Structure formats: structure tokens, C-alpha cells
Amino acid sequence: MPLLQVKDLTVRFDTAGGTVHAVSGVTYDLEPGETLGVVGESGSGKSVHVLAMLGLIPKPPGRIAGGQVLFEGRDLLTLPERELRDLRGKKIGMIFQDPMTSLNPVLTVEAQVAEAITSHGLMSRSAARARAVELLDLVGIPEPRKRVKQFPHQFSGGMRQRAMIAIGVACEPKLLIADEATTALDVTVQAQILDLMKDLKRKLSMAMIWITHDMGVVAGLADTVQVMYGGRIMERGPARAVFNDTRSAYTWGLLRSLPDHSEGRVYETHTPGQARKRPRLRQIAGAPPDMTDPPPGDPFAPRNPFAISGCFQEMPPLVQARDAAPGHLVAAWYDLPKALAARPDLAGKGEGA
Ligand SMILES: Nc1ncnc2c1ncn2[C@@H]1O[C@H](COP(=O)(O)OP(=O)(O)O)[C@@H](O)[C@H]1O
Ligand SMILES: [Mg+2]
């Protein structure tokens, strides 16, 4: 049985300017131990879709307009708040961006890691303090016995992020959700954290949802890649398939905006552990959509050089892509491989990068 089953999750924000269609009909399964990379530009609905599952969107203006989120068979969307609170941090660990604001500046690292454990009644205070040292060691913080007594400001950015990871995995969750967890770090430290995560997911055999706007980050980490835009899943499948047999024009645009991308190389070159340079990026032309009362159709259509008239009329369903790997899904009325073959001017690589 899947660990997590997201079924038709739909989230709206009712604002003075109209209804924001933040997440629309998001559906997927996550298996135990699977790492899912969720990718998309800012405003795609990546954060809101996980915050909604965890009962963490502000209501109002937010509301769950439909769907189910089954975690080990229980619907998180109808779970009493008390049970949801116990699940968060225990069976579902979380790591967010900006550990400086997430860590409490007036408490030692030890107090904060221990608190993550004792708040769920899993251990005594003294046992939790001993465990805190083990956890700092696990996440690669040197001299953990000494470091555990320090305050967050005595840690570097990378070390603070490691401490946040220690808190996220303190209760050995079944699922770890990381939202832009390495975005604030420089590329070298980011690569180290990604290496750590690969190591941890093996040691702790936990499933992960790794959210990032950076395609390069998920390449070496994720088993499955899910590309979101306008609150919808545009493409989803085994990482290799999504990178090397891309079917959504949006994914294709994201991949082209990666530095030194050429066909088939992204997957090999952008692995964690290799710091990479960030030369000038080739952006996708046009701006991300305003999701307030959006027009019908595929939200990416106005920016899509391969859009056909149907794209402006109706959102295509997310279905198995033709002649693609099993489980490689795409939401597109156009056929990207054919469209690219017909437009060698656009398919050309290297220009602008
Ligand atoms: N509290 C809120 N009130 C109104 N709109 C919101 C709120 N939080 C998020 N949104 C909107 O929901 C959409 C999805 O946001 P988000 O999930 O944060 O995007 P991402 O994480 O992909 O950058 C955006 O259009 C955003 O403006
Ligand atoms: Mg976000």
C-alpha cells in the first residue's frame, strides 16, 4: 500500500482580489522509501499543496476545496487537529527554508533537538539529550558533544541547515518533507546537504518529498520527479524519464534554463556532490500566471511555443505519455517530441546559455 495517496487535492484562497486557484486536482501516490522531487517556478502551488496536507494553510483565506490525502490509510484532511499535530514532526518530519528563522535563537541546539523528541512523548528528557548528540553526528556536524551546547548563531548557515535536518528526522519519520531546504545555501554547501540527504534516506529508509524551484537539485536525489505549474501537475514520472524523455513543454523550458544543459547530460552532470557553476540562465519567456480566477485551459499555454488551440480551451488530463516509460505521465494536448522535431530552431541547444 502506498504511504501517501493524494487524491484530487484542490486548494483555494478567497482574497479581496478574487479566488486564487493555488492547487487544482493534484493526484499522486508516494511509496514507502520513495523520494519525490516536486519542481516548478515560484507560485506553482508546490508549498501550498504540502502545507494543505499538513493542516498548515491559514483558514481563511485558505480553504480545501476538495480531495483526500491518505497517509497510512487515514485522511489527513479530516483528522482532528490534535492528531494531526502529533503526526507532524513524528511520522511526518519537515524541513523548511531559512533555518535562521526556524531555529529559536535563545535556545541551545540541544534543547531544540531534544524538544522535537520529547514533545511527542517518545523519550525522557535525558534520553532525548543523549539522542540529540547522536543526531548531530548523524547529520555530519563535527564535535557533536560540544556543538550541541551551542546556540544557532554559533553555527554557519550549512551547519544550521544540518541542525534543522536533525530536528526533521529526530523521530525517524516515515515521510520527510523538505521545502526549498537548500535554496538559501551556496552551491558547495548545497551539494554537501544533498549528499547528506541521499545518505540519510538510505540509513533511515524514509520517503521524502523534496520541493525546489531548481531542476538541478532533484536530478541526483529524486526517484520520481513531479513538475507543477499553475497549481497543477504538468508532468510526472521516473526521474530519468522526465529528464531524458521530456513530454511537457513546461518541463522542457525548465530544463533549458539550467546551465550547460544539453540533451541527456543534465541527469549525469547535475548530481549532488558536484558543485556547479551558475552561468547566465535562459529563462522561460513570459511571466508565471496570475492564479486569481484563471482562464480555462492549460495555464502554461500563453507561454508555450508549442501550444495548439485546444490548450487555450481545456486543461488536458494527466495521463500516461505515449511510448514512454510506465508511470511517465503528462498533461498536454500537443505532442512534444513531434513538436520539437518540427521546430529545429527551438530544439537547438546551446544558444543563449
Ligand atoms: N495566504 C495566502 N493568501 C493568498 N494566496 C496565497 C497564500 N499563500 C499562497 N498563495 C498563493 O497560492 C499560489 C501557490 O503558492 P505556493 O504554493 O506558495 O507556490 P510555490 O511554493 O510553488 O512557490 C500562489 O499564487 C500564491 O500567491
Ligand atoms: Mg514555495
Side-chain angles (χ1 to χ4, degrees):
M1 191 174 86
L3 179 67
L4 183 75
Q5 292 173 279
V6 183
K7 298 182 180 182
D8 214 19
L9 178 63
T10 300
V11 186
R12 302 283 182 256
F13 290 95
D14 298 309
T15 70
T19 300
V20 179
H21 292 225
V23 174
S24 298
V26 164
T27 300
Y28 64 89
D29 288 355
L30 184 74
E31 302 299 327
E34 179 181 354
T35 296
L36 171 68
V38 178
V39 195
E41 288 164 298
S42 177
S44 308
K46 306 182 301 295
S47 296
V48 167
H49 109 273
V50 291
L51 293 174
M53 325 177 171
L54 298 170
L56 294 174
I57 56 163
K59 297 180 195 172
R63 71 185 147 88
I64 310 282
Q68 275 189 320
V69 179
L70 304 180
F71 178 77
E72 296 184 322
R74 289 192 297 172
D75 187 2
L76 300 183
L77 302 183
T78 57
L79 216 57
E81 173 56 28
R82 191 173 37 80
E83 288 177 46
L84 202 52
R85 207 180 313 134
D86 189 51
L87 216 62
R88 291 195 299 257
K90 188 157 122 191
K91 287 204 163 185
I92 305 178
M94 297 170 292
I95 314 170
F96 294 112
Q97 198 179 350
D98 192 5
M100 199 55 193
T101 53
S102 311
L103 289 169
N104 186 331
V106 303
L107 293 178
T108 61
V109 170
E110 177 181 64
Q112 299 184 59
V113 179
E115 159 72 16
I117 302 169
T118 55
S119 66
H120 295 287
L122 292 179
M123 282 181 189
S124 69
R125 276 219 81 80
S126 60
R129 279 201 294 269
R131 180 73 183 137
V133 176
E134 291 172 15
L135 284 163
L136 291 201
D137 189 43
L138 178 72
V139 299
I141 294 178
E143 299 185 86
R145 258 168 228 293
K146 181 180 132 201
R147 291 302 220 146
V148 83
K149 302 291 181 193
Q150 296 183 334
F151 292 88
H153 73 265
Q154 295 172 283
F155 279 45
S156 67
M159 287 298 153
R160 279 198 296 271
Q161 194 55 281
R162 285 175 193 265
M164 285 306 296
I165 293 166
I167 291 171
V169 302
C171 299
E172 302 199 2
K174 292 271 179 12
L175 169 62
L176 182 69
I177 298 178
D179 190 352
E180 303 285 0
T182 59
T183 300
L185 305 172
D186 71 57
V187 275
T188 312
V189 179
Q190 176 171 303
Q192 290 164 0
I193 298 285
L194 292 173
D195 277 345
L196 167 66
M197 294 320 299
K198 284 175 93 171
D199 188 42
L200 275 186
K201 75 171 179 179
R202 204 178 47 241
K203 280 187 182 147
L204 302 175
S205 60
M206 60 190 175
M208 285 202 312
I209 299 178
W210 193 272
I211 296 177
T212 174
H213 66 280
D214 186 344
M215 268 285 191
V217 164
V218 295
L221 190 66
D223 305 309
T224 306
V225 170
Q226 177 165 305
V227 180
M228 289 183 66
Y229 188 77
R232 298 179 182 274
I233 301 175
M234 307 303 278
E235 179 165 12
R236 172 189 159 84
R240 232 166 237 287
V242 172
F243 281 102
N244 296 334
D245 184 23
T246 306
R247 300 304 180 103
S248 162
Y250 181 58
T251 312
W252 178 80
L254 288 177
L255 285 171
R256 273 176 35 119
S257 73
L258 277 179
D260 62 56
H261 169 54
S262 61
E263 211 174 317
R265 272 189 53 218
V266 150
Y267 197 86
E268 278 71 37
T269 57
H270 296 278
T271 53
Q274 287 175 268
R276 44 197 173 86
K277 291 200 244 32
R278 293 196 185 225
R280 191 157 56 89
L281 300 182
R282 175 168 34 195
Q283 300 287 349
I284 302 175
D290 174 5
M291 291 315 292
T292 314
D293 303 315
D298 177 338
F300 189 57
R303 299 170 74 189
N304 181 1
F306 309 109
I308 56 179
S309 63
C311 303
F312 294 90
Q313 284 149 23
E314 197 185 335
M315 178 65 198
L318 183 70
V319 293
Q320 171 69 39
R322 214 158 41 80
D323 302 325
H328 187 176
L329 313 180
V330 67
W333 293 124
Y334 53 87
D335 181 320
L336 186 66
K338 275 191 189 156
L340 279 170
R343 293 289 303 273
D345 55 318
L346 287 175
K349 43 199 165 191
E351 91 275 14

